Amino acid sequence: MAEADKRLAPVPSASTLDDKEDEIIKPDFDEFADSEHEEDGWYAWLVVLAGCIQAMITLGASRAHGVYQEYYVIDEFAHAPTAAVSWIGSVQNTMLNLCGVFVGILSQIYDARIMCAAGAFCMGVSFILASFSTQIWQLVLTQGMLYGSAASFPYILGVTVPLQWIRKRRGLALAVVYMGSGVGGMWISMVTRACIDSVGRAWSNRILGLVMMALGVGLAPLIKARRPARRPSKILDFSVVREWRFVFIAAASFFSMGPNTIPYILMPTYVADVLGQSGKLGSTLVTIINVSGIFGRFAAGVLSDRFGPVNMLIIWTLLAAYSQLGIWLPFRSVAASIASAALFGVTGSSIVGMILNALSHQYGVSRITYISGLIYMTYSLSSLGVVQTTTLMLDTVGHGTDYTWPIVYTGLLLVVATVILIVFRIKLSRKLLAFW
């Protein structure tokens, strides 16, 4: 217990960014002193690039699911309730994050490269199986549960292993990794729409499955943990969940990352149901979210390195709430939808990476995969509940065409997350300009 308390001791404050980095990051990196490659070197950034590609084919594909959602709701399952169809995407996103805690546990024992390759292979298989699925429940099992569970391995390892290699520019490194999800969401959504229109939904699944399998397995050897896997004395260590910093970060994650997928899912159908526009505009909005997310993640990473991840997380979460309540809700037009998608892409899509950055500054990187897995578990539960609640609101209160309450609900959750983060920041330090 004394050792656990020492590990979870509060991080001392510092007056400058350089001092802060030395106090938080340097002692944590001493564990990796025997590695054959140095931190922040060329190989370190090669690992970051590999993590970027893994995020592209996992989180990026999940972000592009709105194109499938639109096709299922409007064409393939036109007579089914939206809430029933949304189970495919919500189960996919839930398993993608829920399995993170198991990935964290296994990463303490097994080679990250083997785990990543196995997950990527099963990802491709899941999409190929989905191509033969003709019922909603079959797609929930294949494109939802199997894909999400398999993708969790290259996703979680791809975004956490690079943190073991980067010391000075951790925020920038995370930005590069998570920019992969934006790039992936962009091209996967366009390819998905093009494939559905030209060769059909089944072949769209098969093509994407083979591409994801080739990229994921091919780049898995670069997802190399800097410290070899060693079985810990206590594999399931939940002492961290009782620590106040973890509680605040987990609560902020629950309320901010749950609504994270709603614009991806609802905007494509919103433009058809409310604005009377074609499905191509819905795919374009998903692309706008992903493209703007590329710039948003880069800006969030650079600014987090300069001003602190918690400070920037407060601003980004508040702006994400404004994109829903201040733009999308009051202005029902194509221009407002584009503006809301762009602002949410810059801010909302960056939240998950910024939370991981905040975690690494609070707890270091030696057990970041395991601790982040616990955070992703809260995210998965929130995501499942928020998506199903939102689509249920749309079907019942909104009668399938009124999106008012789903948008209000999404925005208010982000407001709650902002308040939690402000209280957390005050507890860390009452100095307004302190690096946190």
Side-chain angles (χ1 to χ4, degrees):
M1 180 61 71
E3 183 179 348
D5 291 340
K6 182 178 180 181
R7 189 169 57 246
L8 299 177
V11 178
S13 60
S15 58
T16 66
L17 175 59
D18 293 336
D19 291 340
K20 190 73 175 178
E21 287 178 338
D22 289 340
E23 291 178 1
I24 297 175
I25 302 174
K26 189 172 182 178
D28 192 52
F29 268 67
D30 289 343
E31 299 183 35
F32 309 113
D34 59 346
S35 176
E36 58 180 309
H37 299 288
E38 294 183 355
E39 71 270 12
D40 297 317
W42 67 269
Y43 187 85
W45 286 99
L46 192 61
V47 176
V48 171
L49 180 60
C52 173
I53 304 299
Q54 298 294 354
M56 178 189 299
I57 61 173
T58 53
L59 189 59
S62 180
R63 292 291 183 260
H65 181 75
V67 178
Y68 280 113
Q69 172 84 1
E70 177 195 12
Y71 177 78
Y72 292 146
V73 169
I74 297 176
D75 295 297
E76 191 165 348
F77 305 110
H79 300 294
T82 304
V85 176
S86 69
W87 276 105
I88 303 169
S90 59
V91 168
Q92 178 189 105
N93 194 62
T94 297
M95 297 307 296
L96 179 66
N97 295 282
L98 180 61
C99 291
V101 65
F102 303 105
V103 176
I105 293 171
L106 294 175
S107 69
Q108 301 176 96
I109 306 172
Y110 301 107
D111 192 318
R113 294 167 293 185
I114 296 175
M115 293 170 59
C116 191
F121 179 80
C122 292
M123 280 169 51
V125 171
S126 68
F127 254 61
I128 293 172
L129 291 175
S131 70
F132 298 101
S133 302
T134 57
Q135 302 294 322
I136 293 177
W137 68 268
Q138 294 171 341
L139 288 166
V140 169
L141 292 178
T142 54
Q143 194 173 356
M145 184 173 294
L146 181 56
Y147 170 81
S149 302
S152 183
F153 285 80
Y155 168 48
I156 300 298
L157 294 169
V159 301
T160 57
V161 168
L163 293 177
Q164 298 179 4
W165 294 89
I166 301 299
R167 175 175 178 263
K168 290 291 186 182
R169 294 290 176 262
R170 190 173 292 174
L172 178 60
L174 272 172
V176 172
V177 169
Y178 274 101
M179 277 195 291
S181 67
V183 174
M186 177 180 63
W187 72 260
I188 292 175
S189 62
M190 292 189 294
V191 168
T192 299
R193 169 52 62 187
C195 287
I196 289 176
D197 291 342
S198 58
V199 297
R201 195 268 297 176
W203 273 106
S204 171
N205 285 136
R206 293 166 195 154
I207 292 171
L208 287 176
L210 291 173
V211 170
M212 290 188 293
M213 187 186 298
L215 289 175
V217 175
L219 290 171
L222 290 175
I223 306 299
K224 177 183 178 182
R226 194 155 182 251
R227 182 183 66 177
R230 293 194 296 263
R231 181 183 291 270
S233 58
K234 194 174 182 181
I235 295 178
L236 291 174
D237 182 8
F238 291 107
S239 59
V240 67
V241 302
R242 297 190 297 269
E243 208 270 334
W244 68 270
R245 290 175 298 169
F246 180 88
V247 171
F248 270 96
I249 295 175
S253 168
F254 184 88
F255 286 101
S256 65
M257 298 194 330
N260 196 263
T261 58
I262 299 302
Y264 293 93
I265 295 174
L266 291 189
M267 276 193 166
T269 55
Y270 172 85
V271 296
D273 294 338
V274 178
L275 304 181
Q277 300 294 320
S278 67
K280 290 185 178 179
L281 177 59
S283 300
T284 300
L285 288 178
V286 174
T287 301
I288 289 173
I289 295 175
N290 287 303
V291 171
S292 58
I294 297 172
F295 299 101
R297 291 179 179 95
F298 179 80
V302 173
L303 293 173
S304 293
D305 284 336
R306 178 65 182 88
F307 300 106
V310 177
N311 293 333
M312 296 311 305
L313 189 54
I314 292 172
I315 298 173
W316 252 235
T317 306
L318 182 61
L319 289 174
Y322 178 75
S323 73
Q324 306 299 291
L325 300 177
I327 302 177
W328 191 10
L329 178 63
F331 304 107
R332 297 188 177 187
S333 66
V334 173
S337 298
I338 293 174
S340 176
L343 181 57
F344 184 83
V346 170
T347 56
S349 60
S350 306
I351 290 175
V352 58
M354 298 173 79
I355 286 178
L356 184 57
N357 191 14
L359 269 179
S360 70
H361 278 76
Q362 295 295 320
Y363 295 103
V365 299
S366 62
R367 299 177 67 230
I368 189 62
T369 303
Y370 175 70
I371 296 176
S372 64
L374 296 174
I375 291 293
Y376 283 121
M377 183 172 65
T378 66
Y379 173 22
S380 66
L381 299 175
S382 171
S383 177
L384 179 63
V386 170
V387 171
Q388 289 306 309
T389 302
T390 303
T391 53
L392 185 62
M393 283 182 181
L394 179 60
D395 284 338
T396 55
V397 181
H399 305 289
T401 57
D402 187 353
Y403 288 69
T404 300
W405 283 108
I407 297 172
V408 170
Y409 177 62
T410 302
L412 288 179
L413 288 174
L414 290 165
V415 171
V416 172
T418 304
V419 173
I420 293 173
L421 287 167
I422 292 173
V423 175
F424 178 48
R425 172 61 176 79
I426 293 173
K427 283 185 67 65
L428 288 172
S429 173
R430 293 182 178 273
K431 295 180 179 179
L432 182 62
L433 299 180
F435 177 93
W436 282 105

